[in-house]
Amino acid sequence: MPYTPQQLSDRQDIVDVLNAYCRAIDDNRPDDVITLFTDDCVYDYGGDLGSFDSKAYAYKFFRAGTDKIYRRSAHYVTNVETDFVDDDMVDTVTYLAAWHEFHEDIPNAWIYGRYIDRFVRTAEGWRISQRTVVTLGQDDWPRAVTYMDRNVLPPRDRSGDGG
Amino acid sequence: MPYTPQQLSDRQDIVDVLNAYCRAIDDNRPDDVITLFTDDCVYDYGGDLGSFDSKAYAYKFFRAGTDKIYRRSAHYVTNVETDFVDDDMVDTVTYLAAWHEFHEDIPNAWIYGRYIDRFVRTAEGWRISQRTVVTLGQDDWPRAVTYMDRNVLPPRDRSGDGG
Amino acid sequence: MPYTPQQLSDRQDIVDVLNAYCRAIDDNRPDDVITLFTDDCVYDYGGDLGSFDSKAYAYKFFRAGTDKIYRRSAHYVTNVETDFVDDDMVDTVTYLAAWHEFHEDIPNAWIYGRYIDRFVRTAEGWRISQRTVVTLGQDDWPRAVTYMDRNVLPPRDRSGDGG
């Protein structure tokens, strides 16, 4: 801000990884999902899903979701914000709206959240080295979720009267 | 069209403001929302919400929405189109899909619309100096909305038979 | 990957066409929709809607949809991935989430899919010369849809136990 041509190129490469992630998830190609993260990536899904940093576990995690739980899905990523920590490290915040149809006979469900990622430049291109998922909301999601804390105004400031 | 590197950088800075707006709204940080608009910004929400250009009123407007009405929200911005009026002024059209959960015990609701904005370059970066919100549709929205007029074809041209 | 400034400009011009498509559809301006495609564009919607390459039919197709079937719509495009075949041809994959309200008294419906497009550079700018639409999912869609095939893992590999 302003962005150099190199930063605009890096930014697009990073967005391409986010898009490739969604496409691989929705295609049910969990092995391809894993290639977008570094081998030592730290995943934090919050709540019951918790944190993990084992590639073997990540493989099982994504395979179980895309193949065994969800019959179909559509992952939309928008609102990508980038913070260039240095030339080879970029922190990002991305909005996710993820629709799911289940193998179980339960209603289709949406989950709304943010991916808070750290990207690092590797020999194979930009990869995700840290991923934290926070939940903004949901419709018909079949499991308990842990919501992001929203800022709470002090009571004396709750004086708005508009919409 | 084509875009210079400077225009691509400006475009990204503008999209960053749109994204920061959504994040501040969904975080319930109304004071930070206001910093993204010029002090003399003209807001036009149409319908019952009407127009206003008072910063004091804008402050109350956003605070009331994010804190008192909505328990949770998720604002997705996509389809950003830019029109460079000159080097320091850019008109934009942005699609919004905004999900809301309410403090009231009523169904979660979506509103679908467009932000029609004018951005100006300021010493603090790009800021919104005019915002018009038009509504494309809604699901379960609890208040009356005023819809955008769609183009209506003359009757003699209503000859399509496809899908 | 990396992108040259020229490729970043071309990429933005292409995204602008995708955005203009959505805006023209949702405005009910089918004639303007057609200008975004080459005269010999091949459309493939799959399933009952099938394929066609007649501009006259495309005109009827879009006019019927935007004017006679849908009272209102909102088309969101995200996750745009580009593959530069050469300087004047780019293949893209784009996510679509399309909301519709109908003239008929039936529930509002969503369809989730991907546009798989070929863009070519013309004297008038980038235009779509091939469009294939694949369906990822739907909610309350009133017609039969043909879903994209998801990758199916061999049974011995269905060993995940996570989420």
Side-chain angles (χ1 to χ4, degrees), chain A residues 3 81 95-96 139 150-151, chain B residues 16 23 26 28 66 76:
Chain A
Y3 293 86
E81 297 179 88
Y95 270 56
L96 167 75
D139 281 312
R150 289 173 87 228
N151 185 44
Chain B
D16 287 344
R23 193 159 47 85
D26 296 332
N28 187 18
T66 64
Y76 297 88

Side-chain angles (χ1 to χ4, degrees), chain C residues 44-45 112-116 132-137 146-148:
Chain C
D44 182 357
Y45 279 78
Y112 316 114
R114 293 179 187 151
Y115 293 137
I116 301 173
T132 299
V133 183
V134 298
T135 303
L136 296 173
T146 303
Y147 291 107
M148 177 186 76

Side-chain angles (χ1 to χ4, degrees), chain B residues 42-102:
Chain B
V42 179
Y43 303 80
D44 182 357
Y45 279 77
D48 290 348
L49 294 176
S51 297
F52 52 91
D53 61 4
S54 150
K55 196 172 184 79
Y57 183 76
Y59 182 88
K60 293 177 74 170
F61 178 85
F62 287 114
R63 171 165 290 183
T66 64
D67 192 40
K68 294 180 69 173
I69 300 175
Y70 312 125
R71 182 188 307 275
R72 298 185 177 93
S73 65
H75 285 68
Y76 297 88
V77 281
T78 70
N79 303 34
V80 182
E81 297 180 88
T82 53
D83 178 17
F84 282 76
V85 179
D86 60 38
D87 287 350
D88 302 314
M89 183 180 289
V90 177
D91 288 342
T92 61
V93 179
T94 302
Y95 270 57
L96 168 74
W99 173 90
H100 296 78
E101 180 181 327
F102 299 87

Side-chain angles (χ1 to χ4, degrees), chain C residues 11-157:
Chain C
R11 188 190 192 286
Q12 190 56 53
D13 282 335
I14 284 168
V15 171
D16 287 345
V17 172
L18 293 165
N19 292 339
Y21 169 86
C22 294
R23 194 159 48 84
I25 288 276
D26 296 332
D27 282 346
N28 187 18
R29 292 183 283 109
D31 296 11
D32 294 336
V33 171
I34 297 293
T35 66
L36 304 171
F37 298 86
T38 62
D39 283 353
D40 60 352
C41 181
V42 179
Y43 303 80
D44 182 357
Y45 279 78
D48 289 348
L49 295 175
S51 297
F52 52 90
D53 60 4
S54 150
K55 197 172 184 81
Y57 183 77
Y59 182 88
K60 294 177 74 172
F61 178 86
F62 287 114
R63 171 165 290 185
T66 64
D67 192 40
K68 295 179 68 174
I69 300 174
Y70 312 125
R71 184 189 305 275
R72 297 185 179 94
S73 65
H75 284 67
Y76 297 89
V77 280
T78 70
N79 303 33
V80 182
E81 296 179 88
T82 53
D83 178 17
F84 282 77
V85 179
D86 60 38
D87 286 351
D88 301 315
M89 182 180 292
V90 177
D91 289 342
T92 62
V93 179
T94 301
Y95 271 56
L96 167 75
W99 173 90
H100 297 78
E101 180 181 327
F102 298 88
H103 286 297
E104 277 187 276
D105 184 24
I106 57 176
N108 298 342
W110 281 96
I111 195 149
Y112 316 114
R114 293 179 187 151
Y115 293 137
I116 301 173
D117 295 327
R118 169 157 288 183
F119 279 84
V120 293
R121 192 193 303 272
T122 76
E124 290 78 37
W126 290 93
R127 292 293 179 268
I128 304 168
S129 67
Q130 296 177 23
R131 163 154 290 189
T132 299
V133 183
V134 298
T135 303
L136 296 173
Q138 49 80 30
D139 281 312
D140 295 316
W141 196 249
R143 287 191 304 215
V145 299
T146 303
Y147 291 107
M148 177 186 76
D149 282 332
R150 289 173 86 229
N151 185 44
V152 177
L153 298 174
R156 70 174 180 281
D157 288 336

